[in-house]
Amino acid sequence: MVPMVETNRLINPETGRQWDLQLLLKKLLELQDSLLQSQERNISLTAQARELERISRDHEDMKIDMENQAALLADKSRENKYLHQELSRMSGVLSSKLLEGEEMKTQISDVQHQLKTCQQERDLLAIMLTEAENSARQGNATNARDTKDPQTNWIKYLKGKQT
């Protein structure tokens, strides 16, 4: 066995001098302060790391939401495009129907004009018929003359009398 050499704890084995207790206590307090600061810094950094992890998760959630919103927007865009096409088609149909309506108005106006013309001709014929009847009553016309005169034959035709 190697004999144990008793060492004096009060002497620094490296320098061979006595330890300076004040200096050692001062160094010990400095190391303790440094350890406390490191622990506080470690706690602060851990809290920051947790906060960054939470922000990262929030970012991923927001990214997923944005992707969903983009898909929804794309769907709405396609739907709007379809609606725009349908509205354009309906606009074309309405335009053609408006043109047809204008044409019908023109045709109705023409028919009304023709109707007025027919009514005027009817009124004129009625006047002529009335005058012819009045003439026949006054005895101006004779049966022989009626057969010779084609103008009075058509009056009888209108009355429904054929000879």
Side-chain angles (χ1 to χ4, degrees):
M1 253 198 176
V2 177
M4 246 191 187
V5 178
E6 200 173 303
T7 58
N8 190 352
R9 292 183 189 181
L10 296 176
I11 295 179
N12 185 348
E14 292 177 11
T15 60
R17 295 194 213 152
Q18 190 172 356
W19 289 102
D20 184 4
L21 292 179
Q22 293 297 327
L23 185 63
L24 287 175
L25 283 176
K26 185 178 177 185
K27 287 256 186 208
L28 181 63
L29 289 175
E30 286 176 8
L31 287 173
Q32 199 173 27
D33 283 343
S34 179
L35 178 64
L36 283 175
Q37 288 173 359
S38 294
Q39 286 175 340
E40 288 173 357
R41 197 166 174 206
N42 188 22
I43 291 170
S44 173
L45 290 174
T46 303
Q48 287 177 357
R50 284 189 204 125
E51 182 68 18
L52 289 174
E53 288 172 357
R54 184 189 62 77
I55 289 171
S56 175
R57 285 190 305 270
D58 289 348
H59 173 72
E60 289 298 319
D61 291 344
M62 288 175 71
K63 183 179 175 184
I64 291 169
D65 285 345
M66 292 298 283
E67 289 170 355
N68 291 339
Q69 291 292 328
L72 181 64
L73 183 61
D75 289 344
K76 292 296 179 182
S77 179
R78 281 190 296 275
E79 184 179 337
N80 283 345
K81 183 178 178 181
Y82 172 75
L83 288 175
H84 178 73
Q85 289 171 345
E86 282 297 308
L87 287 173
S88 294
R89 184 186 64 77
M90 290 176 73
S91 176
V93 169
L94 287 175
S95 293
S96 67
K97 293 298 179 185
L98 281 172
L99 286 174
E100 287 176 13
E102 289 297 322
E103 289 173 1
M104 289 184 80
K105 281 182 183 179
T106 303
Q107 289 175 354
I108 289 172
S109 177
D110 290 345
V111 168
Q112 286 175 338
H113 178 70
Q114 290 173 3
L115 178 64
K116 286 180 184 177
T117 303
C118 287
Q119 288 173 342
Q120 289 172 350
E121 289 175 359
R122 182 203 61 205
D123 292 344
L124 183 60
L125 287 174
I127 290 170
M128 291 171 67
L129 180 62
T130 305
E131 289 175 356
E133 285 176 347
N134 288 340
S135 294
R137 281 189 201 129
Q138 292 173 2
N140 291 339
T142 61
N143 281 340
R145 188 173 155 219
D146 285 346
T147 57
K148 293 179 185 176
D149 190 7
Q151 186 176 7
T152 54
N153 283 337
W154 68 267
I155 294 175
K156 288 182 179 180
Y157 177 77
L158 286 176
K159 287 182 167 180
K161 298 177 185 175
Q162 296 265 341
T163 55

